[in-house]
Amino acid sequence: MSGFDWSGLMRLGMRGLGLRPHEFWTLTPAELTLMLGRDGAAGPLDRARLEDLARAFPDTPADTGEMTDGGH
């Protein structure tokens, strides 16, 4: 048995999106997913997520190994 619900996908594509069978079968899975609005992308960046990212990746200068006194 396949892991895909083909009848469900066909129903969504043809009934929900109004695709013709030819159009449905020429789409890649990624294209169909995007058209269905299920691209898996995260929602908009909110304040809490921004703060999480700031803690995970603080804005501190990287140690480049260079001397700060002009090399002397």
Side-chain angles (χ1 to χ4, degrees):
M1 174 136 207
S2 172
F4 276 41
D5 176 11
W6 287 109
S7 61
L9 287 174
M10 291 170 61
R11 199 168 23 261
L12 286 171
M14 291 182 224
R15 287 188 190 165
L17 297 174
L19 299 172
R20 295 184 175 126
H22 165 77
E23 296 167 328
F24 175 83
W25 290 112
T26 58
L27 291 172
T28 66
E31 291 168 332
L32 181 58
T33 301
L34 182 65
M35 291 177 76
L36 292 170
R38 300 175 182 177
D39 61 356
L45 183 67
D46 62 9
R47 185 68 184 186
R49 181 66 179 132
L50 178 61
E51 289 170 355
D52 290 343
L53 288 170
R55 278 191 297 278
F57 304 99
D59 289 334
T60 57
D63 183 10
T64 61
E66 295 179 15
M67 301 176 99
T68 58
D69 65 353
H72 295 81

